[in-house]
Amino acid sequence: MGVKQSLRAIDAFPRAEDHLLQKTKSGAFVSVVGLLIMATLFLHELSYYLNIYTVHQMAVDLRRGENLPIHINMTFPSLPCDVLSVDAIDMSGKHEVDLDTNIWKLRLNSDGHITGTEYLSDLVEKEHEAHKHDVHKEHHEDSDKVHLQGIDEESENMIKKVKQALAAGEGCRVYGVLDVQRVAGNFHISIHGLNIFVAQMIFEGPTNVNVSHIIHDLSFGPKYPGIHNPLDGTSRILRGASGTFKYYIKVVPTEYRYISKEVLLTNQFSVTEYFSPIHEFERTWPAVYFLYDLSPITVTIREERRSFLHFITRLCAVLGGTFALTGMLGGWMFKFLEAVRKKNSRTIAR
């Protein structure tokens, strides 16, 4: 047996039958449909290959000695900026506030439009009554009342200014970044920066302090593609009695690795909300608390792209399968039309 005959014996692509080489209208139609299907599938496979997908992995968090950035953007439509203060406390009970932290307050009119700004260079590094035991609370309240029996002119002017702002329906927008230690703690926005006696003269009791708020943005680090911060867009408007809002937050350290090998260190979080109404004659004052704790597990999100060989393999399978299917359909359609044509010929002959 010669070489040519040996090659013909193992030929996987035998010569096509004569009837398959005949050009027909039905074959042209099947060919056009097949080409459209193959073009569509090719574009789908190309898009599937070019798209980037993410892989999630978990491991023990080994980061140490880093700060935790907290991005705040909130609106208090019923409280003027002069009475609002921002405070941050960690597990040790000490204020951990970076004096270089940028926090801004924007004065808002009754329509929510900005009328002025005020920069907070110091975020109320004080011992507030809200963080003391009951015995300490009573002691400070008594001492404050004695000290402020003769109120100074500056306090009187501030009281008049705040009352005018409340009557005009002024609000306040608080935004900026808090850099706190990477330990469990809380930060809150409240009127705790005011002396109790002054607060009493302004609001005539805790039940008149409306801490309605809108959280435009709250995050613990820079944002990455696909992140969802559950408190963004949250609106809590009080219509009746006032109270204290508490958001219990579990912060999850996160690393986002771009396909370009760039690494973004940030945090995700989940939240549980609790509202505690304040009743008449209570000594506590309303506030909005954010109590956060860090998870010991870090999540790594890595961008990846499918391999080129995987793309070629799928493409060959899709295009080859479509070509074979359209060939079978073309053969069946040709045989069907031939059978119909022969039957009509016999009928006419009779």
Side-chain angles (χ1 to χ4, degrees):
M1 182 182 293
V3 177
K4 292 184 178 181
Q5 293 178 345
S6 300
L7 291 176
R8 288 176 180 174
I10 61 173
D11 186 5
F13 304 98
R15 183 174 176 274
E17 298 180 11
D18 293 336
H19 72 276
L20 296 178
L21 301 177
Q22 299 179 13
K23 296 182 178 180
T24 61
K25 294 182 179 180
S26 61
F29 174 76
V30 172
S31 298
V32 171
V33 172
L35 288 174
L36 291 176
I37 293 175
M38 284 189 284
T40 303
L41 293 177
F42 170 77
L43 293 176
H44 178 270
E45 288 299 319
L46 182 62
S47 174
Y48 181 74
Y49 164 68
L50 294 177
N51 282 342
I52 296 173
Y53 67 98
T54 56
V55 177
H56 292 67
Q57 295 176 334
M58 292 187 294
V60 176
D61 184 24
L62 300 178
R63 284 192 252 171
R64 295 186 298 175
E66 298 179 7
N67 287 340
L68 181 66
I70 305 175
H71 299 261
I72 307 169
N73 188 353
M74 297 177 61
T75 294
F76 290 81
S78 302
L79 289 176
C81 290
D82 292 306
V83 301
L84 283 177
S85 63
V86 182
D87 195 17
I89 302 175
D90 65 13
M91 286 183 63
S92 66
K94 297 179 181 179
H95 289 262
E96 298 290 343
V97 181
D98 184 0
L99 295 180
D100 294 329
T101 296
N102 294 324
I103 292 291
W104 291 80
K105 292 193 297 185
L106 304 177
R107 291 178 56 197
L108 307 176
N109 59 21
S110 58
D111 296 325
H113 298 145
I114 298 172
T115 59
T117 64
E118 178 184 354
Y119 178 69
L120 300 184
S121 60
D122 188 295
L123 301 179
V124 246
E125 280 192 71
K126 300 178 181 178
E127 295 293 331
H128 297 318
E129 291 79 9
H131 310 302
K132 296 295 182 180
H133 295 292
D134 293 337
V135 176
H136 292 169
K137 282 184 180 179
E138 295 176 3
H139 173 72
H140 283 295
E141 288 173 7
D142 294 340
S143 62
D144 287 334
K145 289 179 181 178
V146 173
H147 178 69
L148 291 173
Q149 284 178 352
I151 192 167
D152 57 13
E153 183 179 354
E154 183 179 353
S155 298
E156 287 183 355
N157 293 335
M158 196 266 289
I159 292 172
K160 291 179 182 178
K161 181 181 177 181
V162 173
K163 285 188 175 181
Q164 290 175 357
L166 287 171
E170 272 195 23
C172 187
R173 187 162 185 166
V174 180
Y175 74 97
V177 181
L178 283 173
D179 282 321
V180 299
Q181 287 189 352
R182 199 176 182 80
V183 294
N186 79 78
F187 70 94
H188 54 274
I189 304 175
S190 63
I191 65 167
H192 292 166
L194 294 176
N195 182 278
I196 292 180
F197 185 64
V198 174
Q200 186 69 33
M201 293 187 65
I202 294 174
F203 296 101
E204 300 178 357
T207 55
N208 296 323
V209 179
N210 189 340
V211 291
S212 298
H213 58 279
I214 301 170
I215 304 175
H216 305 287
D217 176 49
L218 181 69
S219 58
F220 292 79
K223 296 183 178 180
Y224 61 84
I227 189 173
H228 172 67
N229 294 321
L231 286 179
D232 288 1
T234 299
S235 178
R236 297 293 179 264
I237 306 299
L238 295 175
R239 304 298 181 185
S242 185
T244 296
F245 290 89
K246 291 184 179 181
Y247 297 96
Y248 296 92
I249 297 172
K250 176 66 74 172
V251 180
V252 181
T254 303
E255 291 183 2
Y256 192 89
R257 298 180 177 271
Y258 290 92
I259 199 166
S260 60
K261 306 303 180 182
E262 180 184 355
V263 179
L264 177 67
L265 300 179
T266 183
N267 300 278
Q268 305 177 75
F269 69 93
S270 61
V271 63
T272 302
E273 179 182 351
Y274 177 73
F275 175 73
S276 175
I278 289 182
H279 304 287
E280 197 173 357
F281 305 118
E282 287 192 21
R283 296 181 179 181
T284 56
W285 290 80
V288 179
Y289 282 87
F290 298 89
L291 303 98
Y292 56 88
D293 191 11
L294 280 85
S295 170
I297 300 298
T298 183
V299 175
T300 300
I301 305 174
R302 187 175 66 254
E303 289 184 348
E304 290 189 357
R305 179 173 286 157
R306 295 165 183 87
S307 68
F308 182 72
L309 290 178
H310 184 263
F311 167 67
I312 293 297
T313 302
R314 288 177 59 96
L315 190 63
C316 290
V318 168
L319 298 183
T322 305
F323 185 80
L325 180 61
T326 53
M328 292 173 59
L329 291 176
W332 292 339
M333 186 172 293
F334 176 79
K335 291 179 180 180
F336 174 74
L337 292 177
E338 281 292 311
V340 172
R341 185 179 62 80
K342 290 180 180 179
K343 183 177 180 181
N344 292 338
S345 298
R346 293 173 184 173
T347 304
I348 293 173
R350 292 178 183 177

